[in-house]
Amino acid sequence: MVRSINYTQKAYNYLKEQIDNNVILPGTHLKEIELAEKLAMSRTPIRSAMEMLEEDGYIRIEPYKGAIVSKTTLNTKAIVDRLQFVELLISELLRQMQDKDIQVDIDAIINIEHELEKCCEEDNYISYYDSKLKLFHLLASYHSNHYFRQVLLNTISDLYDIYRSRVEKHHKTFLKEQEMMSAIYPPLIEGLKKQDYATVHKYFRMWINRLILHQINY
């Protein structure tokens, strides 16, 4: 019995670490046979570990589909790594937009700007993050590579899921972000309107750096 429990804990620790460190991504199907072979154990402790992971919110077990990773909460290092990855992607996106002399849809930018302002006034954090995602969807649409667009939007969407979850538990987090972004978004939006991508890049970097500092101190 002790041996079985140890194997279960070993499988649980392995999967939890892989999910926490973003090695196994949300939406991944976990297969008992493959994991049993990888960890050199039977499927019984794997199944028990998955039940524990489901209780802790890391995975969901669906009929006919099996175990699917559902956890989006990452540790500090993984979140910082993702933020730095977003910065690289945004830099590449803005470089291509500048090289191709792309003019963004001004009306769409203004609508998003007004939505963000309204969300802040109404203290509506759900719509606030939805509006920010609209901005990234708009910018990503100007990149020529479909895979690039998908990676950028999936990465940002996962981060925003984490931020939404935090705000639900600690509303002061939203107020801090509003204060932090109040000096960044106006010139960033204005830079997009004027096609001044050097300025846009500058304020995106400021945004990322502040999020990283906030994450480290969280």
Side-chain angles (χ1 to χ4, degrees):
M1 177 64 71
V2 174
R3 187 176 181 183
S4 177
I5 293 174
N6 287 341
Y7 275 135
T8 296
Q9 192 63 49
K10 178 182 176 182
Y12 174 88
N13 291 342
Y14 170 79
L15 289 169
K16 180 178 180 296
E17 181 179 353
Q18 294 286 295
I19 296 170
D20 276 338
N21 290 314
N22 203 34
V23 177
I24 300 178
L25 298 173
T28 301
H29 284 72
L30 301 178
K31 298 179 180 178
E32 290 181 12
I33 296 177
E34 292 180 1
L35 288 169
E37 292 177 354
K38 185 177 185 65
L39 298 177
M41 60 179 68
S42 71
R43 295 171 63 179
T44 300
I46 298 292
R47 192 174 301 115
S48 298
M50 287 183 177
E51 291 172 358
M52 292 167 60
L53 288 165
E54 184 178 34
E55 289 179 4
D56 292 344
Y58 280 77
I59 67 174
R60 61 184 186 277
I61 300 176
E62 300 181 358
Y64 309 110
K65 292 184 179 181
I68 302 172
V69 177
S70 59
K71 185 177 181 295
T72 55
T73 299
L74 309 172
N75 61 23
T76 293
K77 181 181 181 303
I79 291 175
V80 170
D81 286 346
R82 282 199 173 194
L83 287 169
Q84 291 174 333
F85 183 50
V86 167
E87 182 181 354
L88 289 174
L89 294 176
I90 291 294
S91 296
E92 164 58 21
L93 172 60
L94 294 174
R95 182 197 64 76
Q96 186 177 106
M97 291 175 71
Q98 184 169 15
D99 290 347
K100 294 187 176 182
D101 196 29
I102 290 175
Q103 174 65 60
V104 298
D105 185 334
I106 300 296
D107 290 337
I109 288 291
I110 291 174
N111 287 337
I112 292 171
E113 182 181 22
H114 289 165
E115 285 180 13
L116 288 169
E117 291 172 353
K118 184 179 180 181
C119 292
C120 290
E121 290 172 0
E122 297 178 351
D123 205 20
N124 187 339
Y125 70 88
I126 294 177
S127 296
Y128 175 78
Y129 286 114
D130 288 342
S131 296
K132 289 175 75 171
L133 274 176
K134 282 184 184 178
L135 176 61
F136 283 105
H137 274 276
L138 176 64
L139 296 179
S141 70
Y142 295 113
H143 198 281
S144 58
N145 186 281
H146 170 74
Y147 180 70
F148 177 96
R149 297 194 299 269
Q150 184 179 36
V151 170
L152 173 62
L153 294 174
N154 285 347
T155 304
I156 292 173
S157 181
D158 286 346
L159 287 171
Y160 280 169
D161 284 344
I162 294 171
Y163 295 147
R164 284 194 191 94
S165 177
R166 286 181 179 176
V167 171
E168 287 176 1
K169 298 175 183 177
H170 307 288
H171 192 67
K172 287 183 179 179
T173 302
F174 180 52
L175 300 179
K176 286 182 180 179
E177 179 169 344
Q178 282 182 273
E179 182 181 357
M180 178 181 69
M181 298 306 296
S182 63
I184 293 178
Y185 263 113
L188 189 153
I189 294 292
E190 194 62 27
L192 287 171
K193 292 177 185 176
K194 294 180 178 179
Q195 230 174 314
D196 181 1
Y197 294 118
T199 295
V200 175
H201 186 226
K202 171 186 173 182
Y203 282 97
F204 261 121
R205 289 188 65 185
M206 288 176 60
W207 172 66
I208 292 291
N209 288 336
R210 291 191 184 187
L211 286 177
I212 289 174
L213 288 174
H214 177 69
Q215 178 60 40
I216 292 172
N217 295 320
Y218 180 74

